[in-house]
């Protein structure tokens, strides 16, 4: 079987497949387009969250068992195609996640210094395909969105670079953060304080960042009946609003940076022009509608700002020849079985495509924690095993383990294997060691592959 995408969803699917009760032989190849596996655990989770980054250790244990073969630096769609995989495997699971920003359709969204959160995250997490330069020359920046990615972006922008020095960030990220001119980070939520998507731990953490004053504005701090119901019914909402209430009681300490939370402000336009870039953000004041939503009041506010970061969610990308719902950014599927057509809503009424499966964010959209991809994987592989047992998987013409390697070699694909990842990992640990750090990330494809290959 083939799994495309070695993020947590793909690795959990491989793990569950190898452990599942079954009466057939199994051999699994795990394809990954980057030189290193782990998806957003490596290139999304913030570097100052070492505990969550540590989930990699559990994923490493799965691949260390040796019953799943990693073929990294292989891109589905260019290096290998659906036809190739059909030729060699009876089942193919797609777990390609989401790596782009969801589009925010606002006038001015493409102005210079209007940034997608995913681009900034890729930079500070040392993604090998992005530039090592990030312009942190703005003093007043907005972060649009009230989810955990907005919190990550706001925290990394507000934090002093020296407080990131114990993490795995490479030199160029440290230097970029050290030279940052930022003084004020304004986080904008379009709904109220009881409707954020922050999680309690992550919100409390921003309140602990050194040399940062947190500001919450009393005029934004509104709760209606629906808010109160949410607080009473959800422990998470209760904890988040308690933390926000604690923030409202804080006095300024004269810290060198400030993090402002604005609620009930929906962005309507990013202000500026092509020559000057972003000069501000226009928001429309919202009012709670009693049902957990908001309605616009027609009152506009213009905020003087020098840059805007849009953290309004990630979005999945289509894969060549695989049915895709472009409005939801997911592979068309029912519980992980791929169906024909481009509408997820209508998927149940379209034919199943035998032997194709999806799991993780590309199956159900870009929401949820790493742990949630385990449940996804279980549902998907349960259907896969049912289909295998019912004889519904297509017979591949050449199911040999060597044939796919020969194919990649014949195409000159410079693939990296699991031993190669261990060599890369040792090199990253060696780079970090002199500074007392667990590791320092290597940030270019070329260098990553060089270390993977070194014997
Ligand atoms: C910025 C950010 C921070 C986050 N922080 C946390 C956190 O602290 N804690 C937490 O629990 N959750 C966090 N999450 C959520 C978590 O990252 C996701 O739940 C999880 O990574 C989704 O797993 P996945 O395997 O579906 O996708 P991904 O992790 O995106 O993995 C997909 C993999 O597929 C590969 N791929 C894509 N296209 C191809 C192709 N064409 N060919 C071959 N391979 C391909 C990608 O390179 C990637 O390795 C965060 C998410 C983001 C965006
Ligand atoms: N440390 C962690 O545990 C961690 C860190 C990062 C990410 N994650 C997880 O990864 C997943 C993705 O996180 P995310 O922050 O990208 O997504 P998210 O949780 O869905 O949050 C997206 C935010 O963007 C807002 N938004 C969307 N469209 C908007 C618009 N047009 N105008 C203004 N605001 C808009 C949403 O507001 P509405 O609610 O009003 O739609 C919401 O506040 C989440 O499950 C998250 O918990 C976890």
């Amino acid at each position: 079987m083939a799994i495309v995408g070695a993020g947590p969803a793909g690795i959990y699917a491989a793990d569950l497949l190898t452990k599942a009760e079954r009466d057939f032989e199994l051999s699994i190849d795990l394809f990954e387009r980057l030189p290193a596996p782990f998806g957003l655990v490596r290139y999304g989770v913030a570097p100052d969250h070492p505990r969550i980054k540590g989930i990699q250790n559990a994923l490493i244990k799965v691949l260390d068992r040796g019953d799943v073969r990693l073929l990294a630096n292989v891109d589905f769609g260019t290096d290998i195609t659906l036809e190739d995989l059909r030729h060699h495997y009876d089942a193919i699971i797609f777990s390609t996640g989401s790596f782009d920003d969801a589009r925010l359709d606002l006038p001015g969204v493409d102005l210079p210094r209007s940034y997608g959160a995913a681009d900034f995250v890729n930079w500070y997490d040392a993604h090998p395909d992005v530039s090592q330069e990030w312009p942190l020359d703005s003093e007043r920046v907005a972060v649009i969105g009230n989810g955990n990615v907005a919190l990550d972006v706001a925290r990394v922008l507000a934090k002093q670079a020296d407080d990131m020095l114990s993490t795995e960030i490479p030199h160029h990220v440290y230097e970029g953060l050290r030279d940052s001119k930022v003084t004020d980070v304004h986080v904008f939520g379009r709904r109220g304080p009881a409707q954020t998507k922050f999680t309690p731990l992550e919100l409390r953490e921003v309140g602990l960042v050194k040399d940062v004053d947190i500001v919450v504005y009393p005029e934004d701090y509104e709760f209606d009946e629906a808010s109160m119901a949410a607080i009473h019914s959800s422990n998470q909402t209760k904890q988040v609003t308690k933390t926000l209430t604690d923030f409202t009681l804080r006095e300024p300490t004269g810290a060198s940076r400030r993090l402002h939370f604005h609620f009930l402000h929906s962005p309507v336009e990013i202000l500026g022009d092509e020559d000057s870039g972003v000069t501000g953000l226009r928001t429309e004041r919202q009012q709670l509608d009693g049902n957990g939503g908001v309605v616009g009041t027609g009152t506009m506010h213009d905020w003087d700002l020098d840059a805007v970061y849009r953290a309004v969610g990630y979005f999945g990308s289509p894969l060549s020849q695989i049915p895709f719902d472009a409005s939801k950014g997911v592979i068309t599927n029912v519980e992980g079985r791929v169906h024909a057509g481009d509408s997820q809503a209508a998927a149940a009424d379209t034919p199943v495509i035998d032997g194709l499966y999806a799991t993780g964010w590309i199956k159900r959209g870009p929401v949820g924690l790493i742990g949630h991809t385990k449940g996804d994987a279980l549902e998907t592989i349960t259907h896969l095993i049912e289909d295998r047992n019912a004889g519904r998987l297509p017979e591949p013409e050449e199911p040999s383990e060597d044939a796919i390697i020969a194919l990649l070699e014949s195409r000159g694909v410079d693939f990296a294997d699991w031993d190669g990842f261990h060599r890369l990992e040792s090199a990253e640990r060696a780079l970090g060691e002199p500074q007392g750090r667990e590791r320092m990330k290597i940030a270019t494809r070329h260098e990553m592959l060089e270390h993977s290959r070194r014997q």
Side-chain angles (χ1 to χ4, degrees), residues 5 7-9 32-33 39-40 44 52 75-76 95-97 314 361 368-370:
E32 167 57 49
R33 76 189 171 118
L40 287 170
I52 305 172
D75 181 48
F76 176 86
S95 46
T96 48
Y314 273 46
W361 274 18
L369 301 179
I370 297 161

Side-chain angles (χ1 to χ4, degrees), residues 44-46 49 52 103-106 144-152 155 188-191 195-199 202 205 265-267 311-314 361 366-369 372:
V45 172
H49 282 168
I52 305 172
R103 175 101 193 136
L104 180 63
D105 276 323
L106 290 185
I144 299 176
N146 266 184
N148 281 332
V149 172
L151 279 186
D152 277 350
R155 188 184 69 257
F188 289 93
R190 61 181 169 182
R191 294 192 286 151
Q195 284 88 36
T196 72
K197 290 183 173 151
F198 304 146
T199 47
E202 281 61 35
E205 185 189 357
H265 282 282
S266 186
V312 295
Y314 273 46
W361 274 18
V367 178
L369 301 179
H372 295 140

Side-chain angles (χ1 to χ4, degrees), residues 1 33 115 131 147 201 204 219-220 250 295 323 335 422 452:
M1 292 177 183
R33 76 189 171 118
Y115 306 115
S131 162
L201 197 67
R204 277 199 297 274
E219 65 272 24
D220 293 353
R250 288 192 178 192
V295 285
E335 295 181 357
H422 272 302
S452 296

